[in-house]
Amino acid sequence: MASSPVKRKYTVVEPGSHATGQENPEARSKRPTTTLKEFESVWPRIMGDLGAHCRQYKLPKQSLDWFVQSLNYNAVGGKCNRGMSVVDTASLLLDKTLDPASEDYFRAALLGWMIELLQAFFLVSDDIMDSSKTRRGSPCWYLAPNVGMIAINDAFMLEASIYVLLKKHYRQHENYIDMVELFHEVTFQTELGQACDLLTAPEDHVDLNNFSLEKFTFIVIFKTAYYSFYLPVALALYYVGAATPKNLQTCLDILIPMGEYFQAQDDYLDAFADPEVLGKIGTDIQDNKCSWLVNQALRKVSPEQRKLLEENYGRKDAEKEAKVKGLYHDLKLAEFYQQWEEERVADLRKRIDQVDESEGLKKEVFEVFLKKIYKRSK
């Protein structure tokens, strides 16, 4: 794809340099974000790169067709919020709108698609471990016709695709090895979170003594916050040449607590939101999840309430689930969450206000993330 001019509406900050002066707040608020259609427009080129890489090994057509089917089934069809965040963050850091037809856009979106491939790797694996039935409205990949446990190898190939693409397009980039190491580290962090989650809250064995807010925090930070919140911004910083140690640490200090807030919010919505608004029926109680709500409940219950929780939590029974929700109501957990949310958001805003923009980072990066999740209903 030939590089085309980038539409520039704001002061341009080329990689390695920094903006001067203050940007008009109205201009900031009107800066466009990428769309799912634009983001998905680069996928065929990515598929072409991966197909070409396989063909150089003379991979038989049957196996190549299978790999292509796996890629399309597992990587495409989600919301792509993580992937699109790389493009949007790069646009903010560079103070320019990336033209979807440009090479600049492709390279930023490519990094975003690498996160989507990582997500696909996690989901294919998780669905097998959890014996899940559906994903994004379709059968889980391992339950698709003729797939079965071949899905394990397919998951490995989804992950390996990240490094094929990184090498092809970023080997000459000054931060190539840093991006490779970032993907490796975040992958391991996520797997640590998954290990803790599987051992703490297996679906077929309920033991509330195994739960704690400390375990909840570890699971959330390592299983979700690193790859969903920190990774997109860190990749964008490496892409534009602003990944200084100070900027990366600032991202950790803000985005990891934000990821923890996001998951607590998700747990609250699972129990208290209107399913029609949420778009799904919450299953955390029946699935024996080590959620924010059950851990808060365990801190507040009387001995009698603890007994009720132990007898009803983690059971595939709607009546028992209703008893747990009734206990949540009696403990006023909805009100407690709403107060906690305001305190957490106030702390995040304070951290954002203190961001030092002298090394190319921008407060707006974090403001955009927070705006997307604060007071969300689904």
Side-chain angles (χ1 to χ4, degrees):
M1 183 184 296
S3 178
S4 58
V6 174
K7 297 176 183 176
R8 297 178 177 176
K9 296 183 179 179
Y10 311 99
T11 303
V12 175
V13 183
E14 297 300 338
S17 63
H18 315 297
T20 58
Q22 295 294 319
E23 183 182 352
N24 185 316
E26 288 189 15
R28 287 172 54 175
S29 66
K30 293 178 181 178
R31 182 184 286 110
T33 56
T34 193
T35 66
L36 181 59
K37 183 178 180 181
E38 291 169 347
F39 185 70
E40 289 183 336
S41 71
V42 308
W43 178 247
R45 180 175 170 186
I46 293 170
M47 289 286 292
D49 288 342
L50 292 172
H53 192 80
C54 291
R55 280 190 289 273
Q56 72 171 334
Y57 299 124
K58 295 182 171 55
L59 181 69
K61 184 177 184 301
Q62 179 191 24
S63 300
L64 179 58
D65 289 346
W66 182 280
F67 182 39
V68 168
Q69 183 184 7
S70 170
L71 284 164
N72 283 320
Y73 196 99
N74 296 302
V76 181
K79 297 176 183 176
C80 294
N81 289 331
R82 296 170 183 84
M84 291 192 294
S85 291
V86 179
V87 180
D88 291 340
T89 302
S91 297
L92 290 172
L93 294 171
L94 292 169
D95 274 327
K96 65 183 182 183
T97 304
L98 299 180
D99 182 347
S102 70
E103 191 69 12
D104 287 341
Y105 184 94
F106 171 77
R107 287 172 65 79
L110 174 64
L111 292 172
W113 273 110
M114 291 177 199
I115 301 179
E116 296 301 322
L117 287 165
L118 184 65
Q119 164 85 336
F121 160 57
F122 290 148
L123 295 184
V124 171
S125 305
D126 287 1
D127 287 342
I128 296 171
M129 286 182 266
D130 296 341
S131 299
S132 298
K133 304 302 180 187
T134 61
R135 172 71 63 183
R136 297 169 179 167
S138 298
C140 296
W141 177 240
Y142 80 100
L143 293 176
N146 304 314
V147 177
M149 290 302 105
I150 298 173
I152 297 173
N153 192 66
D154 294 333
F156 296 157
M157 292 179 71
L158 289 166
E159 183 195 20
S161 297
I162 296 166
Y163 303 100
V164 170
L165 293 166
L166 261 179
K167 183 177 180 180
K168 177 176 177 59
H169 292 281
Y170 277 93
R171 194 159 187 258
Q172 303 307 316
H173 193 283
E174 62 178 348
N175 294 318
Y176 168 65
I177 193 61
D178 293 303
M179 288 190 277
V180 170
E181 291 182 348
L182 176 64
F183 269 107
H184 281 312
E185 191 63 27
V186 170
T187 300
F188 186 61
Q189 288 167 328
T190 308
E191 289 161 352
L192 288 175
Q194 173 75 342
C196 187
D197 192 15
L198 291 169
L199 294 169
T200 299
E203 274 196 59
D204 58 352
H205 179 69
V206 181
D207 181 4
L208 297 184
N209 290 319
N210 208 18
F211 287 6
S212 69
L213 271 175
E214 290 73 23
K215 283 187 178 179
F216 164 82
T217 299
F218 183 90
I219 292 167
V220 168
I221 288 174
F222 282 81
K223 187 176 176 179
T224 301
Y226 276 112
Y227 94 95
S228 298
F229 286 81
Y230 174 70
L231 180 58
V233 178
L235 281 174
L237 285 170
Y238 280 121
Y239 172 67
V240 306
T244 65
K246 182 177 181 180
N247 284 347
L248 291 173
Q249 186 60 51
T250 297
C251 288
L252 287 170
D253 293 342
I254 296 174
L255 293 169
I256 298 306
M258 195 180 295
E260 184 185 353
Y261 158 51
F262 174 83
Q263 187 60 54
Q265 181 187 59
D266 208 57
D267 294 350
Y268 164 78
L269 292 172
D270 186 272
F272 289 103
D274 182 343
E276 291 188 7
V277 176
L278 188 60
K280 63 178 181 179
I281 297 173
T283 61
D284 285 0
I285 293 171
Q286 291 196 25
D287 290 346
N288 190 37
K289 294 295 184 182
C290 181
S291 75
W292 186 86
L293 285 172
V294 73
N295 279 294
Q296 294 295 347
L298 287 168
R299 298 178 71 188
K300 298 174 180 293
V301 290
S302 66
E304 294 78 12
Q305 290 171 322
R306 167 84 185 213
K307 187 172 185 294
L308 183 151
L309 199 56
E310 289 178 338
E311 291 174 349
N312 294 280
Y313 196 81
R315 274 45 174 211
K316 304 292 187 183
D317 184 311
E319 290 185 6
K320 292 187 175 184
E321 179 188 43
K323 288 182 180 180
V324 175
K325 287 188 176 181
L327 177 59
Y328 286 174
H329 177 75
D330 294 341
L331 295 172
K332 300 186 183 303
L333 287 186
E335 295 87 339
F336 178 78
Y337 165 79
Q338 288 157 11
Q339 178 184 347
W340 177 89
E341 178 181 42
E342 294 306 317
E343 292 172 355
R344 173 53 61 94
V345 170
D347 177 68
L348 288 168
R349 285 175 173 155
K350 182 179 178 181
R351 293 176 188 229
I352 293 170
D353 286 341
Q354 294 173 346
V355 169
D356 182 352
E357 297 184 332
S358 65
E359 295 183 5
L361 190 56
K362 292 178 182 288
K363 297 177 183 179
E364 191 179 0
V365 168
F366 307 107
E367 292 167 351
V368 167
F369 270 81
L370 186 56
K371 183 178 179 181
K372 287 179 181 178
I373 63 176
Y374 177 55
K375 294 294 185 184
R376 69 186 174 99
S377 59
K378 59 183 179 178

